């Protein structure tokens, strides 16, 4: 009985004060979107399905940054460090141990753990050293740039871990795709329908899990710290611990992005930790609306699709457009374009019945 | 018995000696007001007690334990609570959520809702419970902040100018609130400028001047002290 009760309570946290969207309309829309996403491979060709997985890959990083920055109020400029570390770790483990017996799944877990461990070590010094604001952004950016530089000079044959060559700027390739052991024959998750469903399921699980987290007691305190860290501390909360745990969770999600990306393309390069790569997640999250998981997710998908379209259709200015988009957002809707639109629609919906009543 | 004691407490900011060897004792169960001209070191003493600043030398004892080097949140967990001068509420959260964050730390989950409701009523904020805290009137914000401080069930409550910007009615109501808490056993240390308010609540008054204890006594003794009047007048003529 008690187990069912606590489960119901946990599920109740799927909606709450820290997330937009509640009640029947939202969850109907959510179900519809999930149903459409599930049906998508039935009427799309293999390339588009694979390309969608590419978008999904980045969503984890965006959600993690939303948690750290949007909910926690800490701007980390270097989430790509965890992306890269996890991607390379996946490469090293899976190249050395192969894809039999579910070892790639082990590699996935170990790589995400490696990213979390790096976040724990870095975060410990940042938060327990009381570094915040712009300095935290500078330090995290420096870390990712240092890692990029380091990996860029690993071209020589001496830079190898077992069978895995790091390969400098050319990047590490040839790692196996994620493979799920199955009776009879293993399921290899090529960037096609199987990987699509695998990534989609992971994404939905992470999104719902994060909704529960931010509406929980932990999430309440996290938002309180964002609003007024001094007051939160003076209510008896060790804010350093909350910030550190948040940073670790968000960075583990960036790591998950890194593993999925590496497995998707069987390839990872130092550029994935470079300046451009580090700046883009900030744009996705800021444009959507960083202080809400749903707007972050929608914003990230739209911006990613737009960026890719610009790049494919030959525009040399895709990055400039991204920069302009960020500036526009900051000027017009500092809380995010999708967030602003969402609040506007919610306001209109709420106002209508009143008018009818008047 | 003293609930809070400072021994030879010193704080230097560079060449500035803002707290000069303060030996201060706060007795359990009293309402004690700290007054003094601007720059007397009242706020610094508060920050030292809260752990926002660490003293250059000296000791702070709380309930007999040395807390000189304890982190702020550790002091709060030991039973100290504070209401800041500028309301330190969480503006983007609802009134109820603000209180929930203050209470959820020590309150068993089953009792949380009832406890919040009781506190809302005590603060006369039941009607406003779903409003964003940032939209409250100034006086309501002050009360909410007091409610958050009280919600921790402190044994020692620090109030930094609790009535700043309040109307006379609100000030009087705040005084009654403080007295009600004191009757329930909460020791109160308040920094306050409003002498009418001090007269209403204080059992004992300490005057700080240039970082040192200048005078101590009941409000009548302090008001009758010509030296105290002189430093206030001196301050007024400089201002």
């Amino acid at each position: 009985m008690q187990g069912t009760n606590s489960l119901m309570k946990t599920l109740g946290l799927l909606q709450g004060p820290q997330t937009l969207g509640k009640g029947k309309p939202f969850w109907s829309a959510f179900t519809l979107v999930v149903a459409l996403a599930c049906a998508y491979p039935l009427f799309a060709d293999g390339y588009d399905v694979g390309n969608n997985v590419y978008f999904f890959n980045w969503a984890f990083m965006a959600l993690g940054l939303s948690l750290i920055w949007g909910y926690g109020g800490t701007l980390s400029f270097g989430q790509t460090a965890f992306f890269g570390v996890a991607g390379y770790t996946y490469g090293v483990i899976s190249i050395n141990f192969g894809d039999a017996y579910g070892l790639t799944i082990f590699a996935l877990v170990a790589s995400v753990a490696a990213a979390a461990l790096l976040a724990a070590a870095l975060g410990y010094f940042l938060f327990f050293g009381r570094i915040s604001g712009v300095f935290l952004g500078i330090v995290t950016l420096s870390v990712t740039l240092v890692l990029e530089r380091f990996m860029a000079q690993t071209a020589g044959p001496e830079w190898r871990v077992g069978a895995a060559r790091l390969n400098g700027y050319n990047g590490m390739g040839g790692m196996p795709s994620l493979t799920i052991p199955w009776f009879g024959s293993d399921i290899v998750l090529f960037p096609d329908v199987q990987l699509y469903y695998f990534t989609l399921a992971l994404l939905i699980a992470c999104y719902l899990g994060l909704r529960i987290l931010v509406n929980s007691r932990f999430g309440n305190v996290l938002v309180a710290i964002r609003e007024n860290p001094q007051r939160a501390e003076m209510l008896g909360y060790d804010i350093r611990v909350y910030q550190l745990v948040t940073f670790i969770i968000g960075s583990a999600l960036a790591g998950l992005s890194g593993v999925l990306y590496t497995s998707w393309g069987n390839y990872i390069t130092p550029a994935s930790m470079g300046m451009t790569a580090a700046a883009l997640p900030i744009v996705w999250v800021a444009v959507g609306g960083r202080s809400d998981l749903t707007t972050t997710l929608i914003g990230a998908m739209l911006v990613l699709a737009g960026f890719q379209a610009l790049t494919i259709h030959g525009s040399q200015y895709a990055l400039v457009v991204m920069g302009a988009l960020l500036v526009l957002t900051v000027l017009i809707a500092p809380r995010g374009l999708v967030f602003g639109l969402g609040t506007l629609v919610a306001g209109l919906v709420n106002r209508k019945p009143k008018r009818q009543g008047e | 018995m003293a609930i809070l004691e400072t021994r030879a407490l010193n704080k230097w900011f560079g060449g500035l000696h803002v707290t000069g060897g303060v030996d201060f004792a706060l007795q359990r169960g009293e309402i004690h007001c700290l007054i003094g001209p601007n720059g007397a070191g009242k706020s610094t003493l508060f920050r030292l007690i809260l752990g926002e600043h660490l003293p250059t030398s000296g000791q702070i004892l709380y309930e007999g334990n040395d807390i000189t080097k304890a982190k702020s949140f550790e002091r709060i967990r030991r039973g100290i609570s504070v209401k800041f001068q500028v309301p330190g509420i969480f503006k983007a959260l609802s009134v109820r959520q603000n209180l929930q964050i203050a209470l959820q730390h020590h309150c068993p989950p089953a009792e949380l809702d009832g406890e919040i409701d009781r506190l809302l009523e005590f603060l006369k904020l039941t009607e406003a419970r779903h409003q964003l805290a940032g939209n409250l009137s100034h006086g309501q914000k002050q009360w909410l902040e007091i409610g958050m401080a009280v919600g921790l069930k402190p044994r020692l409550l620090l109030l930094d100018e609790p009535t700043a910007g309040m109307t006379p009615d609100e000030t009087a109501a705040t005084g009654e609130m403080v007295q009600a808490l004191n009757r329930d056993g909460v020791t109160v240390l308040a920094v306050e400028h409003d002498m009418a308010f001090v007269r209403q609540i204080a059992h004992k008054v300490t005057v700080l001047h240039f970082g040192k204890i200048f005078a101590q006594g009941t409000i009548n003794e302090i008001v009758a002290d010509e030296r105290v009047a002189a430093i206030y007048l001196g301050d007024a003529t400089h201002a």
Side-chain angles (χ1 to χ4, degrees), chain A residues 211-338:
Chain A
R211 276 185 81 101
I212 290 173
L213 180 72
V214 297
N215 284 321
S216 70
R217 287 169 165 234
F218 181 91
N220 277 343
V221 178
L222 189 61
V223 172
I225 292 171
R226 177 191 76 199
E227 294 287 307
N228 192 336
Q230 186 201 26
R231 179 76 260 185
E233 174 143 20
M234 290 301 172
L235 290 174
Y237 294 105
D238 188 351
I239 62 173
R240 304 168 303 174
V241 172
Y242 282 83
Q243 288 173 319
L244 178 61
V245 170
T246 307
F247 189 62
I248 294 173
I249 297 173
S251 303
L253 285 169
L256 182 56
S257 268
V259 173
L260 293 172
Y261 173 85
T262 307
S263 159
W264 171 83
N266 310 104
Y267 182 59
I268 177 97
T269 99
S272 64
M273 295 184 278
M275 184 70 208
T276 310
L280 283 174
I282 311 273
V283 181
W284 310 331
V285 174
V287 167
R290 61 182 183 275
S291 57
D292 184 75
L293 293 166
T294 315
T295 56
T296 293
L297 199 55
I298 297 172
M301 291 296 134
L302 290 177
V303 176
L304 272 163
F307 184 67
Q308 192 186 55
L310 278 175
T311 321
I312 290 172
H313 296 299
S315 168
Q316 305 292 315
Y317 301 106
L319 275 173
V320 179
V321 172
M322 287 298 109
L325 195 58
L326 182 62
V327 172
L328 263 177
T329 306
V330 172
L331 290 178
I332 299 173
R335 303 188 66 185
L337 293 175
V338 179

Side-chain angles (χ1 to χ4, degrees), chain A residues 108-177:
Chain A
L108 177 143
V109 174
S111 308
V112 171
L117 210 63
L118 174 66
L122 179 63
Y124 174 80
F125 288 109
L126 288 173
F127 297 114
F128 282 71
R130 302 268 178 182
I131 292 169
S132 59
V134 71
F135 295 102
L136 197 136
I138 292 170
V139 172
T140 45
L141 177 63
S142 306
V143 168
T144 196
L145 294 184
V146 165
L147 284 174
E148 183 214 11
R149 283 288 111 196
F150 177 81
M151 293 314 292
Q153 50 87 50
T154 57
E158 71 276 22
W159 290 100
R160 56 166 64 242
V161 183
R165 280 275 303 268
L166 299 183
N167 257 346
Y169 233 106
N170 294 323
M172 179 195 262
M175 61 284 284
S177 300

Side-chain angles (χ1 to χ4, degrees), chain A residues 92-111:
Chain A
V92 167
I93 296 178
S94 60
I95 287 173
N96 279 298
F97 292 102
D99 57 1
Y101 318 114
L103 274 168
T104 54
I105 301 296
F106 163 75
L108 177 143
V109 174
S111 308

Side-chain angles (χ1 to χ4, degrees), chain A residues 17-18 130 217-218 220-221 223-228 230-238 240, chain B residues 52 71-73 76-77 82 84 88 90-93 97 100-101 104-105 109 112 145 148 152:
Chain A
Q18 255 57 273
R130 302 268 178 182
R217 287 169 165 234
F218 181 91
N220 277 343
V221 178
V223 172
I225 292 171
R226 177 191 76 199
E227 294 287 307
N228 192 336
Q230 186 201 26
R231 179 76 260 185
E233 174 143 20
M234 290 301 172
L235 290 174
Y237 294 105
D238 188 351
R240 304 168 303 174
Chain B
E52 286 197 289
K71 299 260 182 303
S72 293
F73 69 89
I76 303 296
R77 287 183 190 175
V82 59
F84 293 108
F90 308 117
K91 290 183 188 152
L93 303 180
Q97 271 180 290
Q100 186 184 335
I101 288 164
Q104 71 181 28
H105 208 284
L112 189 61
E145 163 103 358
M148 289 164 77
L152 297 179

